[in-house]
Amino acid sequence: MKAETHPEYHTITVKMTDGTEFQTRSTWGKEGDTLALDIDPTSHPAWTGGRQQLQEGGRVAAFNKRFGGLSLKK
């Protein structure tokens, strides 16, 4: 490997949203820094099975919802 081309790899502490912490190795921050997460697998709906955003209908339904009141009257 070339010297001084790779980032420093060191131990940091990761703090989850529920307050639990664990140690891991990373290139983020400096040795001993704490990374506080805003979203993690214990709180994000993608992992917890919470409410999901589902499209209602397709493109035609979206068009009718937007322009449904318009008509071509003679």
Side-chain angles (χ1 to χ4, degrees):
M1 292 194 301
K2 290 184 179 180
E4 299 184 25
T5 59
H6 298 282
E8 181 186 338
Y9 195 61
H10 49 270
T11 304
I12 65 166
T13 303
V14 177
K15 185 175 182 180
M16 307 284 267
T17 57
D18 63 358
T20 58
E21 296 180 353
F22 65 92
Q23 299 238 330
T24 188
R25 292 179 49 86
S26 175
T27 58
W28 180 86
K30 297 179 181 148
E31 179 77 29
D33 281 354
T34 299
L35 174 64
L37 298 178
D38 294 331
I39 298 173
D40 63 25
T42 61
S43 65
H44 194 279
W47 289 286
T48 60
R51 186 168 184 256
Q52 297 178 358
Q53 296 269 350
L54 297 176
Q55 278 189 343
E56 294 179 11
R59 294 181 64 129
V60 173
F63 179 86
N64 288 336
K65 181 179 177 184
R66 187 170 179 187
F67 300 108
L70 300 176
S71 63
L72 299 173
K73 295 182 182 177
K74 291 185 178 184

